[in-house]
Amino acid sequence: MKHAIYEVVDDRLVVHLPGEVDDHSSGRIQEETEKYLQGGGIRYMIFDFTNTSFMDSSGIGVLLGRYKRMKQLGGNVAVFGEDNRIKRILNISGIYQIMESLTK
């Protein structure tokens, strides 16, 4: 999967991330999620890492930016489907301090 896929379920926006979340894909993810937020009604954003094997600092930037934006709107952000490599990146970057992991 080269591009993120966006799915709205009730008041949740699920962002199925591509295989690589890097400088090339991050700007697009930021823009697309903003379009959904401007439509109103989104209270939760869930980033699905199931198909993601690589993420760099620009991906962390997207997560932080979307977290701040959702807080402005009174909503929240969570992550899901992260493998051990992505878990390590999220842990080191402090993302788990502000976002819940829905992965069991």
Side-chain angles (χ1 to χ4, degrees), residues 45-95:
M45 190 177 299
I46 301 168
F47 287 97
D48 178 4
F49 284 91
T50 302
N51 295 308
T52 305
S53 58
F54 175 82
M55 182 172 67
D56 65 14
S57 60
S58 62
I60 296 297
V62 168
L63 293 176
L64 291 173
R66 298 296 79 192
Y67 172 79
K68 290 177 185 174
R69 182 74 169 106
M70 288 302 295
K71 286 298 179 184
Q72 288 175 343
L73 297 171
N76 216 338
V77 179
V79 296
F80 173 79
E82 62 277 34
D83 65 14
N84 287 335
R85 180 181 296 151
I86 298 297
K87 281 181 183 177
R88 185 170 180 270
I89 293 168
L90 297 178
N91 192 39
I92 290 170
S93 66
I95 292 295

Side-chain angles (χ1 to χ4, degrees), residues 20-50:
E20 296 185 3
V21 180
D22 54 17
D23 191 46
H24 180 74
S25 61
S26 293
R28 185 180 197 148
I29 293 167
Q30 188 96 1
E31 290 171 16
E32 293 294 323
T33 55
E34 187 60 31
K35 288 178 188 174
Y36 284 96
L37 294 179
Q38 288 177 358
I42 302 296
R43 291 289 159 251
Y44 302 97
M45 190 177 299
I46 301 168
F47 287 97
D48 178 4
F49 284 91
T50 302

